[in-house]
Amino acid sequence: MSEKEANPTFSKSTGLPRKRFYRARAHSNPLSDSHFPVPISPGHVDYSLHYPQHFPSSDQVDSGKKIQFADIGCGFGGLLISLSTLFPETLMIGMELRDKVTEYVKERILALRVTNPGQYQNISVVRTNSMKYIPNYFEKGQLSKMFFLFPDPHFKEKNHRRRVISPFLLDEYAYVLEVGGIIYTITDVEELGDWMKACLENHPMFEALTDEELKADPVTKLLSSATEEGQKVDRNGGQTFRAVYRRVAPSL
Amino acid sequence: MEDAAMENGETNKDSEVAPALIAVHPTQNSVAVAVGSDLRVFDLLGGCAVSLVDDSDGSLHKDSIRAIRYGANGKLFVSAGDDKLVKIWSTESWRCISSLCSEKRVSAVAISNDGSYVCFADKFGVVWVVVVDGFNGDQDFVNKKAAPLLSHYCSIITSLEFSPDGRFFLSADRDSKIRVTVFPKKPLDGAHEIQSFSLGHTEFVSCLAFVCTHECPQGFLVSGSGDSTVRLWDISSGSLLDTCDIREKAGLLESKEIEDRYAAVTDLCTIPDSTLVAVAVQSLQGIILLSCDLSAQTLYVAKVVSIKGDAFIPTSLGTSFSSGLLWMVTGASNLHDSQHPCLSRVKVISGFKESSPDFVQHGPIVLEDDEIPRSEKLLEKLQGRVSFDKNYFLTAAEALKTSMSNLLIKKQYSTEKREFRKRGRNDKKIKK
Ligand SMILES: C[S@@+](CC[C@H](N)C(=O)[O-])C[C@H]1O[C@@H](n2cnc3c(N)ncnc32)[C@H](O)[C@@H]1O
């Protein structure tokens, strides 16, 4: 009997961690005190820890491969798992503030790696506050895609600055995205959808994708179907609001 | 929940002590000292104390001043701080030509090199910009609203600086970050294009300055930090060029207590037209002079200038273009157990003019009070009095150290404490 089977937090039939043992508060305050380690700079991110098959040891010379997709507020990690097989050569990371949820995603990925040898080696997760530490993880122009799926709405006006899409934070996202890189947002809260769209529309370094471009992009349909939150909204027959924008060079 | 506390109602004011600050007019026409809510200016050309004229709202600053600064062309002076007021002064008449209200307490200010923009950072990490056009000499200009320029999400901004060529705008914070932003043509629409982040410090960044020479007019950035280092940066890429640990020179490594081995760099001042950087350190009675080798891109300690006898730990440094003088101040606001609330002590080091190789070894000397320009008259104005009880400033230095670490160093909870804090939270209670 393997250790995993003896562990009640893992399902006997699938070998995957059971979500109910990782239940967490619905919302967490992005302003609250942080106790997790933060890399001093993107050069300090230990890739061998996240992607051991791609980076067998930490002192190995840089293979040049870098993380290109970031799922911000990744929740239980559904999107990463779908993207992993769709873009098997691309390194991706989920960023999540809640520690229990991050632990769950970590276990989920490890279990998938065990049950599917050779697969899911390109995805990982970190516990961090993306609103403060994005520049510590990614260099200028490093990312080609950023995802913000069903972010917390923070309805009250005075809490709008806690929203993960805001005019100021878009400056940082524009910095870590390469020119041509794409930012994907979706929500079931109409007011938040309008807000995210308006922030992106008014930013000089983002431009909306056309309907044809959206249709041609294989990622588009994952936005509402791949994540746990998206599936919940779908089950309840809820409407979703999408804003997908491309990073462009500023016209100065 | 310190960040949340910061958002909602700022930090506990009682324990906060503000350091005395000094600024020198670019051609040394005047010197300004701020201590507590007191702004003191001495006119060096005229040899007399300046009376400030502030009829903007009938009052001077009402709480600790946190930032003072002359513009590069010497026409403007800005003061701002805990009373949320940003005051822009004419250095001709010393009239307050504008008094802006910030939503939050102000932690840093900068004036663009051409004098047309004033920027200030509030304690929530937002930097604001206001246009100073139509101002020449003494003419009034209409009070305008400040527009948001950029933001460091929920962090205290400790220093703002324009690059010498005016292309970049730099902002440093308590999260050990330095952001380099392209200063836009239309700043009122925001500064969206980030050039680089200079990352490498492991504690709050306290101060920024540029080393520039004739050969290298675009200059190199130096930064000081709570991690007891001064670092040299290439701002266009954000790369760290060199790190200079000042603990050994400040005599900190001999200390038995580990926590005493760290002392924050509190201020940096580059000596114009030289590659020297004067460094003030939290526990050092004197300054450290660093020299920057611009071709090798290195930074090294050239000399420690100690100040003997007087228990003088500078809290702020200032200099002007060609005087060869480095001005220093020490002091603090709000010392509770003290009868003299707003004292400061000013000292001057001379001899920064020559550039011969051995001048650093022999040159800089700490002037006696009667050797300082306009000696007694100036000291009376800037210090509040001429002589003091020596222990006062040691007490002040201790209070400042505590206050600075409360404000800028993140609390480290022990594992037990952390567990205890967690226990109260719902997400730890695994449902059976
Ligand atoms: C409503 S959930 C959506 C999760 C996932 N994207 C999905 O669609 O299922 C929002 C997530 O964002 C996380 N989050 C909120 N603020 C964050 C921050 N500043 N940094 C990282 N994660 C954050 C929350 O903990 C939560 O898991």
Side-chain angles (χ1 to χ4, degrees):
Chain A
M1 200 192 246
S2 85
E3 220 177 291
K4 204 154 261 171
E5 279 165 315
N7 185 340
T9 60
F10 284 83
S11 153
K12 271 199 189 110
S13 50
T14 63
L16 293 176
R18 290 175 176 168
K19 210 159 126 192
R20 68 185 159 102
F21 289 102
Y22 295 88
R23 213 154 267 152
R25 286 190 299 179
H27 299 291
S28 74
N29 179 355
L31 302 171
S32 75
D33 221 355
S34 53
H35 298 299
F36 42 82
V38 176
I40 292 171
S41 76
H44 290 79
V45 177
D46 187 349
Y47 276 58
S48 70
L49 224 78
H50 290 291
Y51 313 102
Q53 202 170 82
H54 292 271
F55 299 83
S57 82
S58 54
D59 45 48
Q60 208 203 18
V61 232
D62 194 0
S63 77
K65 223 175 159 88
K66 287 185 178 148
I67 296 170
Q68 286 185 292
F69 293 0
D71 183 5
I72 312 301
C74 66
F76 294 100
L79 178 73
L80 287 169
I81 286 157
S82 301
L83 288 172
S84 175
T85 46
L86 198 56
F87 299 89
E89 293 309 312
T90 307
L91 299 185
M92 337 180 175
I93 201 146
M95 298 186 132
E96 175 51 57
L97 188 56
R98 292 179 292 175
D99 50 357
K100 278 276 148 176
V101 176
T102 312
E103 280 311 307
Y104 171 84
V105 178
K106 225 179 258 174
E107 295 297 339
R108 189 174 177 185
I109 294 171
L110 289 178
L112 281 168
R113 287 179 183 173
V114 171
T115 46
N116 304 275
Q119 284 188 297
Y120 302 102
Q121 296 293 338
N122 60 335
I123 55 174
S124 189
V125 66
V126 281
R127 177 178 181 218
T128 199
N129 184 344
S130 68
M131 296 165 87
K132 289 186 83 137
Y133 302 116
I134 288 247
N136 296 69
Y137 282 90
F138 313 115
E139 286 163 10
K140 188 177 190 170
Q142 180 180 329
L143 298 180
S144 57
K145 293 187 193 299
M146 287 183 96
F147 297 91
F148 296 85
L149 310 192
F150 302 95
D152 296 334
H154 297 293
F155 286 109
K156 284 189 223 137
E157 164 105 39
K158 86 174 195 12
N159 286 339
H160 281 180
R161 62 166 156 230
R162 295 188 186 181
R163 289 180 167 172
V164 287
I165 298 284
S166 75
F168 290 136
L169 286 168
L170 283 179
D171 297 347
E172 284 189 15
Y173 305 155
Y175 169 80
V176 293
L177 275 170
E178 64 184 8
V179 170
I182 297 175
I183 190 166
Y184 298 85
T185 72
I186 191 167
T187 176
D188 58 324
V189 178
E190 184 166 12
E191 183 208 324
L192 179 66
D194 291 345
W195 160 277
M196 295 197 290
K197 195 174 195 136
C199 290
L200 283 157
E201 194 57 48
N202 294 329
H203 197 284
M205 289 153 88
F206 289 102
E207 154 193 291
L209 262 67
T210 62
D211 286 342
E212 293 78 65
E213 287 170 328
L214 274 175
K215 248 180 233 135
D217 187 342
V219 170
T220 308
K221 63 176 186 304
L222 294 180
L223 303 180
S224 54
S225 67
T227 67
E228 289 62 23
E229 202 59 36
Q231 289 157 7
K232 195 162 91 192
V233 172
D234 192 46
R235 275 199 302 278
N236 301 336
Q239 220 188 331
T240 56
F241 308 89
R242 205 171 53 191
V244 181
Y245 279 69
R246 182 186 297 106
R247 158 78 154 87
V248 293
S251 51
L252 289 175
Chain B
M1 302 298 256
E2 59 185 84
D3 287 348
M6 195 175 117
E7 180 193 40
N8 294 329
E10 332 239 304
T11 34
N12 180 11
K13 273 233 69 181
D14 289 344
S15 60
E16 279 191 31
V17 180
L21 306 171
I22 195 162
V24 185
H25 184 272
T27 53
Q28 207 170 280
N29 295 0
S30 57
V31 183
V33 163
V35 52
S37 60
D38 234 15
L39 181 58
R40 304 162 182 170
V41 182
F42 191 86
D43 177 353
L44 281 162
L45 291 182
C48 57
V50 167
S51 315
L52 301 172
V53 186
D54 186 357
D55 34 36
S56 58
D57 61 355
S59 67
L60 295 170
H61 283 288
K62 301 178 199 76
D63 203 341
S64 289
I65 297 169
R66 293 290 183 163
I68 55 173
R69 182 144 206 169
Y70 285 91
N73 63 18
K75 287 188 183 158
L76 294 177
F77 178 87
V78 180
S79 58
D82 289 351
D83 62 1
K84 306 180 185 177
L85 292 177
V86 179
K87 289 183 179 285
I88 306 176
W89 307 83
S90 154
T91 58
E92 295 263 298
S93 61
W94 286 103
R95 276 187 38 188
C96 176
I97 56 173
S98 180
S99 195
L100 301 151
C101 295
S102 162
E103 283 168 36
K104 302 270 174 187
R105 295 200 254 157
V106 179
S107 56
V109 297
I111 304 175
S112 65
N113 298 338
D114 62 359
S116 48
Y117 299 101
V118 167
C119 301
F120 60 93
D122 69 30
K123 272 192 67 182
F124 196 61
V126 180
V127 179
W128 302 81
V129 59
V130 60
V131 189
V132 195
D133 61 6
F135 170 73
N136 37 52
D138 220 14
Q139 198 184 308
D140 269 341
F141 74 105
V142 197
N143 256 351
K144 292 190 185 102
K145 247 187 96 80
L149 184 69
L150 59 88
S151 161
H152 288 217
Y153 189 79
C154 195
S155 189
I156 297 173
I157 292 182
T158 51
S159 184
L160 296 176
E161 201 68 48
F162 280 89
S163 67
D165 60 10
R167 278 183 63 207
F168 299 117
F169 180 73
L170 291 88
S171 40
D173 69 26
R174 66 101 76 125
D175 289 308
S176 55
K177 219 164 41 216
I178 303 168
R179 168 171 161 169
V180 181
T181 311
V182 175
F183 195 73
K185 295 216 172 67
K186 292 189 229 155
L188 296 182
D189 296 342
H192 304 289
E193 192 182 353
I194 301 174
Q195 175 67 25
S196 69
F197 283 98
S198 297
L199 301 173
H201 280 299
T202 55
E203 268 299 343
F204 63 89
V205 180
S206 48
C207 41
L208 301 174
F210 276 92
V211 181
C212 325
T213 58
H214 284 303
E215 299 78 57
C216 182
Q218 83 282 3
F220 282 92
L221 175 71
V222 283
S223 59
S225 155
D227 67 8
S228 304
T229 68
V230 176
R231 295 181 199 241
L232 181 70
W233 307 91
D234 170 13
I235 56 166
S236 84
S237 66
S239 14
L240 175 61
L241 301 174
D242 202 11
T243 299
C244 191
D245 189 321
I246 50 78
R247 282 175 298 164
E248 186 190 347
K249 288 294 168 184
L252 294 165
L253 293 181
E254 289 115 65
S255 186
K256 285 197 190 73
E257 304 290 325
I258 304 233
E259 54 266 40
D260 288 346
R261 291 189 199 164
Y262 285 87
V265 172
T266 48
D267 202 10
L268 288 177
C269 179
T270 49
I271 311 295
D273 280 328
S274 83
T275 55
L276 292 177
V277 185
V279 183
V281 184
Q282 227 161 33
S283 56
L284 181 72
Q285 300 188 15
I287 54 152
I288 298 175
L289 278 178
L290 302 183
S291 186
C292 178
D293 182 334
L294 294 182
S295 50
Q297 305 183 336
T298 56
L299 197 60
Y300 55 92
V301 176
K303 188 179 187 170
V304 178
V305 182
S306 2
I307 298 168
K308 304 242 158 56
D310 245 354
F312 184 94
I313 298 172
T315 52
S316 169
L317 309 172
T319 189
S320 59
F321 282 130
S322 51
S323 64
L325 300 182
L326 177 73
W327 295 74
M328 307 176 288
V329 70
T330 189
S333 65
N334 308 335
L335 285 193
H336 292 303
D337 51 350
S338 159
Q339 311 95 305
H340 5 265
C342 283
L343 292 184
S344 56
R345 179 89 175 92
V346 172
K347 280 191 179 282
V348 177
I349 299 180
S350 83
F352 287 105
K353 253 183 188 155
E354 285 101 314
S355 50
S356 68
D358 57 11
F359 110 94
V360 174
Q361 292 318 314
H362 311 292
I365 31 166
V366 184
L367 297 183
E368 295 297 329
D369 282 1
D370 58 5
E371 297 169 326
I372 294 176
R374 312 284 181 179
S375 55
E376 198 162 303
K377 236 173 147 181
L378 173 136
L379 293 177
E380 197 173 347
K381 173 67 182 177
L382 297 183
Q383 300 184 159
R385 58 158 80 185
V386 178
S387 60
F388 321 80
D389 170 9
K390 275 183 196 160
N391 290 329
Y392 173 82
F393 290 109
L394 282 186
T395 319
E398 250 339 282
L400 280 169
K401 196 170 170 175
T402 313
S403 177
M404 193 165 191
S405 65
N406 286 348
L407 191 65
L408 295 174
I409 295 181
K410 306 218 153 171
K411 310 269 175 310
Q412 295 289 330
Y413 294 97
S414 64
T415 324
E416 305 90 82
K417 258 198 198 152
R418 200 177 307 172
E419 280 311 310
F420 183 77
R421 281 164 57 87
K422 275 186 185 171
R423 232 173 287 156
R425 284 173 27 192
N426 299 332
D427 58 337
K428 297 289 144 188
K429 293 175 190 149
I430 292 177
K431 286 179 192 137
K432 293 263 158 74

